[in-house]
Amino acid sequence: MVIVTLILAFLFLFQTGFSVVDKFDKFQSISDGTTLISKDGSFELGFFSPGNSTNRYVGIWYKNIPVRTVFWVANRCSPINDSSGLLTINNTGNLELLYQNKSVVWSTSSSKQATKPIVQLLDSGNLVLRDEEDGNSETYLWQSFDYPSDTTMPGMKLGWNLRTGLKQRVSAWRNWDDPCPGDFTAGVEYDPLRHTFPDIYILQGTTKYFRTGPWNGIRFSGTPEQRPNPLYSYDFVYNDDEVYFTFNLKNKSVITILVMNQTTSHRDRLTWNEEDQAWQIYYSAPKDNCDRMCAE
Ligand SMILES: *[C@@H]1O[C@H](CO)[C@@H](O)[C@H](O)[C@H]1NC(C)=O
Ligand SMILES: *[C@@H]1O[C@H](CO)[C@@H](O)[C@H](O)[C@H]1NC(C)=O
Ligand SMILES: *[C@@H]1O[C@H](CO)[C@@H](O)[C@H](O)[C@H]1NC(C)=O
Ligand SMILES: *[C@@H]1O[C@H](CO)[C@@H](O)[C@H](O)[C@H]1NC(C)=O
Ligand SMILES: *[C@@H]1O[C@H](CO)[C@@H](O)[C@H](O)[C@H]1NC(C)=O
Ligand SMILES: *[C@@H]1O[C@H](CO)[C@@H](O)[C@H](O)[C@H]1NC(C)=O
């Protein structure tokens, strides 16, 4: 008991002794080996090498899960082959990933000029670029949640912004060593001219491989996502501006995500099991509703 108390006290001192950095500005940068940590300590951004690869990528993962789970990758198809990577904000307020401090490997494309651009990793896991001069801290010049990798996080959209044309889609990693998009993509389908009911689909290459069946205003005709559950609430929004699916946690201490899987071709809802210290499949689409709508 005494030992546990001592350890806890030590951890507390250790944690408060170092201030957590969740943002940086034009005069700072993130180099390979340093990280950003969200204020509440849940998420971390940094450089990593996937699987057996030695390539370096910038990604965001859960800080408190022992199984490294990278849910977002910046330079998905443009790896860096040494540790010279540097994430910076350039003079026109865009986030840039530099190789050997000169070539741009990856960048954001915000057209708005910011007076005092800063990059911040939020408690939701969203990496945002915003203007510190702008009083509204929720106006983003760019946000990683608009450019998903293979994972849909709570509060993230899978959808289509009809005003800007931006489509928030997920695509599986090619394999464990390579986060570049593989064969499978999931997104939202909607015909704004005919006002058809929106639909979630999975593509294999350019071929439609699975669809949920149209949203009827209350639910999809057959997706397991809709089953009553204690973990998350589910929302489908469609209006003149945008069409999207999103989910939010009912219980903030539950960790659940949706991942597009290249190996199985399923989009899995995973939940973190604290006891087993492992991810568990809560359900898997289309596997769990194949009998009804695997093929069109
Ligand atoms: C890495 O390579 C080893 C040996 O080839 C293999 O056994 C292991 O499964 C690989 N790990 C991953 C994550 O691909
Ligand atoms: C690393 O990448 C750079 C730029 O793509 C390339 O010129 C260089 O040859 C690569 N180095 C190695 C050791 O692969
Ligand atoms: C900043 O980065 C963006 C994206 O790479 C680029 O279009 C723009 O020209 C850069 N601005 C400067 C001043 O380098
Ligand atoms: C990168 O280059 C700029 C100017 O080209 C220099 O001011 C800066 O110190 C360099 N940063 C690193 C980490 O080498
Ligand atoms: C929230 O989830 C945690 C962990 O699964 C559980 O211990 C707790 O009872 C849940 N709280 C509510 C209000 O359901
Ligand atoms: C995909 O599914 C396989 C088999 O269930 C699993 O081993 C692997 O971890 C999954 N990949 C991802 C990215 O979840």
Side-chain angles (χ1 to χ4, degrees):
M1 196 59 211
V2 174
I3 292 172
V4 170
T5 313
L6 279 176
I7 290 174
L8 285 177
F10 176 76
L11 282 178
F12 182 73
L13 279 177
F14 186 84
Q15 285 209 320
T16 48
F18 293 80
S19 59
V20 167
V21 178
D22 68 327
K23 57 187 169 201
F24 65 95
D25 65 17
K26 236 172 27 172
F27 308 102
Q28 298 156 316
S29 55
I30 298 290
S31 57
D32 198 332
T34 59
T35 63
L36 275 188
I37 296 172
S38 64
K39 265 208 192 92
D40 72 354
S42 301
F43 300 107
E44 184 166 35
L45 171 145
F47 288 78
F48 74 102
S49 291
N52 283 331
S53 166
T54 54
N55 284 331
R56 304 299 285 166
Y57 296 86
V58 168
I60 308 177
W61 54 85
Y62 281 91
K63 175 139 179 50
N64 303 317
I65 290 184
V67 177
R68 168 73 65 89
T69 307
V70 179
F71 59 86
W72 184 78
V73 181
N75 51 325
R76 288 187 79 173
C77 300
S78 329
I80 292 179
N81 58 15
D82 60 20
S83 58
S84 73
L86 201 63
L87 192 62
T88 63
I89 303 176
N90 78 0
N91 278 332
T92 45
N94 271 295
L95 190 56
E96 284 189 330
L97 177 60
L98 304 179
Y99 168 69
Q100 293 193 348
N101 203 14
K102 34 180 204 285
S103 42
V104 178
V105 166
W106 170 89
S107 69
T108 61
S109 52
S110 158
S111 49
K112 278 194 219 118
Q113 188 102 15
T115 321
K116 232 181 140 192
I118 61 164
V119 169
Q120 185 171 16
L121 181 59
L122 304 181
D123 290 344
S124 56
N126 195 4
L127 183 73
V128 302
L129 183 62
R130 60 185 176 83
D131 194 344
E132 206 162 32
E133 296 283 281
D134 186 336
N136 185 356
S137 65
E138 295 203 350
T139 309
Y140 307 135
L141 301 165
W142 175 90
Q143 54 178 324
S144 64
F145 269 24
D146 271 344
Y147 303 90
S149 295
D150 64 342
T151 306
T152 312
M153 301 286 292
M156 204 180 214
K157 293 172 182 174
L158 188 78
W160 186 11
N161 185 319
L162 303 169
R163 295 271 171 248
T164 64
L166 181 81
K167 287 182 173 168
Q168 293 108 345
R169 294 192 287 207
V170 293
S171 48
W173 284 29
R174 196 173 280 168
N175 56 55
W176 272 118
D177 299 335
D178 187 356
C180 196
D183 277 344
F184 295 96
T185 308
V188 165
E189 188 172 66
Y190 176 63
D191 183 342
L193 295 177
R194 291 197 294 134
H195 284 283
T196 52
F197 289 115
D199 210 354
I200 292 180
Y201 63 81
I202 296 176
L203 291 181
Q204 178 173 22
T206 53
T207 310
K208 203 167 287 168
Y209 158 79
F210 165 71
R211 51 189 294 239
T212 53
W215 175 257
N216 66 10
I218 300 167
R219 61 176 62 88
F220 289 111
S221 6
T223 167
E225 185 70 27
Q226 285 279 293
R227 279 179 207 145
N229 73 84
L231 306 184
Y232 58 88
S233 61
Y234 178 98
D235 209 0
F236 208 104
V237 172
Y238 68 115
N239 54 44
D240 290 343
D241 295 331
E242 53 183 348
V243 180
Y244 65 86
F245 146 86
T246 191
F247 71 92
N248 284 290
L249 300 178
K250 284 183 183 168
N251 179 341
K252 298 281 180 223
S253 55
V254 168
I255 296 177
T256 173
I257 56 179
L258 277 164
V259 182
M260 188 70 234
N261 188 313
Q262 173 71 25
T263 318
T264 60
S265 71
H266 296 148
R267 190 160 174 249
D268 298 325
R269 176 170 287 280
L270 305 177
T271 55
W272 178 252
N273 187 315
E274 201 57 50
E275 253 164 60
D276 300 349
Q277 292 286 293
W279 289 102
Q280 268 179 352
I281 296 182
Y282 193 67
Y283 70 76
S284 196
K287 185 171 133 271
D288 287 343
N289 47 349
C290 229
D291 50 337
R292 284 153 79 173
M293 50 184 60
C294 233
E296 276 202 273

